[in-house]
């Protein structure tokens, strides 16, 4: 599995909160899905409240 760095933002109380996280995944699509799941579970956000801007191999 490869490691990907995913950056984006999610809706917070005070506006948009930027984030960057590292995810292990076999490809970029799975890295995106895991990021949606992780951000959603940590911050209680739906996929429509999360915007992914960049996925790159770390």
């Amino acid at each position: 599995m490869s490691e990907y760095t995913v950056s984006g933002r999610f809706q917070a109380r005070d506006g948009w909160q930027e984030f960057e996280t590292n995810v292990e995944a076999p490809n970029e699509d799975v890295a995106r899905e895991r990021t949606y799941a992780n951000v959603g579970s940590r911050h209680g956000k739906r996929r429509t409240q999360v915007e992914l801007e960049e996925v790159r191999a770390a």
Side-chain angles (χ1 to χ4, degrees):
M1 279 211 243
S2 301
E3 187 166 315
Y4 292 91
T5 301
V6 182
S7 60
R9 61 190 192 149
F10 62 88
Q11 286 182 342
R13 290 182 184 166
D14 301 342
W16 289 92
Q17 175 71 42
E18 304 243 343
F19 71 89
E20 184 171 291
T21 185
N22 292 324
V23 178
E24 277 195 27
N27 58 49
E28 285 188 19
D29 290 335
V30 175
R32 289 177 197 276
E33 292 298 319
R34 288 186 180 170
T35 302
Y36 279 126
N38 289 339
V39 172
S41 68
R42 284 188 197 141
H43 300 284
K45 303 298 175 190
R46 296 186 198 99
R47 288 171 184 252
T48 58
Q49 296 173 306
V50 178
E51 292 182 358
L52 302 182
E53 294 171 359
E54 184 181 17
V55 179
R56 63 184 183 275

